[in-house]
Amino acid sequence: QIFFGGINVWLQQKIPLFRWLPQFADRFLDNPGLIRRVTRRAIETDARFLDQMAVSMLRGTAGNQRKEVRRLVRWIVREARPDAIVVSNILIAAFVLELKRQSSIPVAVMLQGDDVFLHQLSPPARATCLEEIRKIFAGVDLFVTHSTDYRQYISGFLGLDPARISISPLGLNLADYRREPLAENPTAAPTIGYLARLAPEKGLHRLVDAFIELKKQPRHAALKLRVAGWLSPENIDYANQQWQRLRAAGLGEHFEYAGVLEREAKLEFLRGLTLLSVPAVQREPKGLFVLESLASGVPVVLPDHGAFPEILAETGGGALFANDNHDDFVRRLDELLLDSGRTRALGMSGRERVFALRTVERAAASLNTHLVAMVDSANTSNSSGNS
């Protein structure tokens, strides 16, 4: 079943009548086929509406989507009856307060980039959202994030005791990745890759700056830049600015935007790179693209903040540069591009460590350990309360 379907939530925010529709009408609006057709092209909303929607969603039964909150909780308590619930982010977790009023089901909330969305809101709306989020803390039994750095950062940003946040490292489904080292192709052009959302916070502009500077050196005459990842409507102008800068530098034939890649195409994209760099401006909470690159035997060059230092300390699969230091970034790229032996060694080290330590199975086992402890603690508390 679908709850909080995008069409329904939008209409309930915009038009009061839709907050009182009968269930058969909700089922029509939540039809997966209808949602796919409507959302095939992103719906643009103004900043004021985004502010209002975010605040309303976080108010739960006091917000405009209260009908959805009650419907979800009713289904969880009467039909699903799970041992535990994992919510993917705090921004959709307001329902847990109503859930706790009706049941003792333990709830875990993942913290994995919630701050990025909140920073898009106006300061007044952000402050209100943070107030509402802090109310939700009372209904959450466990918070989980993927890195020590992000735990420290997000706890301060949200005003949450870091002792309440457990760490469960990210893992990767390696079913389609090749375990054996890639054969060297001496005729292939050296290529820097970027695989992430095309957005200012991911630092594509920083990579374009570095690429333009590297291409001024004769020793990098053959160097290519390949970019892939999702481009949202609000970032089209940003991406076009980067392409225009590259063309203005005479590099129109030296870069490619490959668009959004399905899994097989993504693996092929990664295998064709010399190294990968996503010089994120934000403190990266996860870095899934780092694991994907390393699993393909491709080393990375990344800023020394967020989850990146922890991943590279564990895998030895690349180099860090001083964040906000353009010269250091260019220097690290230059060093690896000129030293194929070291680049290959870093890629092989990264691949071996990801296959050994960062599998989806290990990630599942880690998260399961935290969830079992949460459920056991909740059961103990309930038994004590009943007695």
Side-chain angles (χ1 to χ4, degrees), residues 30 38 42 54 102 110 154 211 279 295 300 330 352 360 379 381 383 387:
D30 288 337
V38 171
Q102 298 189 33
M110 307 294 291
I154 199 65
F211 183 72
V300 293
V330 174
E352 289 304 312
V360 70
N379 288 340
S381 297
S383 298
S387 63

Side-chain angles (χ1 to χ4, degrees), residues 45 106 168-169 201 219 252 274 287 295 347 379:
T45 58
S168 184
E201 62 269 19
R219 61 179 177 270
T274 305
N379 288 340

Side-chain angles (χ1 to χ4, degrees), residues 46-52 54-55 116-130 157:
D46 60 39
R48 185 167 174 268
F49 180 78
L50 187 64
D51 285 355
Q52 294 169 347
V55 171
V116 176
F117 175 82
L118 290 168
H119 278 304
Q120 297 176 29
L121 305 178
S122 68
R126 187 185 314 130
T128 302
C129 284
L130 287 171
F157 179 74

Side-chain angles (χ1 to χ4, degrees), residues 127-341:
T128 302
C129 284
L130 287 171
E131 289 176 9
E132 297 298 330
I133 284 171
R134 288 167 191 142
K135 296 175 186 176
I136 297 171
F137 292 168
V140 179
D141 300 276
L142 172 69
F143 292 93
V144 180
T145 192
H146 300 299
S147 70
T148 301
D149 177 90
Y150 194 69
R151 176 172 66 181
Q152 290 303 116
Y153 168 72
I154 199 65
S155 62
F157 179 74
L158 297 179
L160 175 64
D161 181 358
R164 293 189 62 186
I165 307 175
S166 296
I167 297 175
S168 184
L170 202 63
L172 194 63
N173 179 358
L174 296 167
D176 302 332
Y177 287 84
R178 299 173 183 172
R179 185 66 187 267
E180 71 279 2
L182 298 177
E184 267 192 285
N185 181 359
T187 64
T191 304
I192 300 174
Y194 172 102
L195 179 62
R197 287 184 295 109
L198 276 62
E201 62 269 19
K202 292 294 186 181
L204 175 61
H205 57 285
R206 301 214 285 186
L207 182 57
V208 168
D209 287 341
F211 183 72
I212 290 173
E213 186 160 334
L214 287 168
K215 289 294 288 183
K216 293 177 182 177
Q217 306 299 324
R219 61 179 177 270
H220 294 302
L223 182 63
K224 303 288 186 182
L225 173 65
R226 297 194 71 205
V227 175
W230 184 61
L231 177 57
S232 65
E234 61 266 26
N235 284 321
I236 289 176
D237 287 344
Y238 167 77
N240 285 335
Q241 288 170 11
Q242 310 317 311
W243 312 148
Q244 289 166 7
R245 292 172 57 216
L246 288 163
R247 294 187 185 102
L251 302 177
E253 301 298 319
H254 297 262
F255 82 92
E256 173 196 1
Y257 173 47
V260 178
L261 305 177
E262 298 299 328
R263 184 172 175 86
E264 185 176 339
K266 180 194 291 187
L267 297 180
E268 188 64 30
F269 174 87
L270 288 167
R271 286 193 286 266
L273 302 180
T274 305
L275 56 87
L276 179 131
S277 182
V278 179
V281 176
Q282 70 179 32
R283 302 177 75 92
E284 181 66 35
K286 297 182 292 185
L288 180 64
F289 50 82
V290 180
L291 300 182
E292 291 175 322
S293 183
L294 297 181
S296 300
V298 177
V300 293
V301 177
L302 303 164
D304 60 353
H305 65 169
F308 299 145
E310 293 171 54
I311 295 176
L312 291 195
E314 186 177 34
T315 63
L320 297 170
F321 67 89
N323 187 42
D324 291 331
N325 188 325
H326 170 74
D327 291 340
D328 193 40
F329 181 27
V330 174
R331 183 162 48 249
R332 297 298 181 191
L333 291 171
D334 184 59
E335 288 172 353
L336 289 190
L337 290 168
L338 295 178
D339 190 344
S340 60

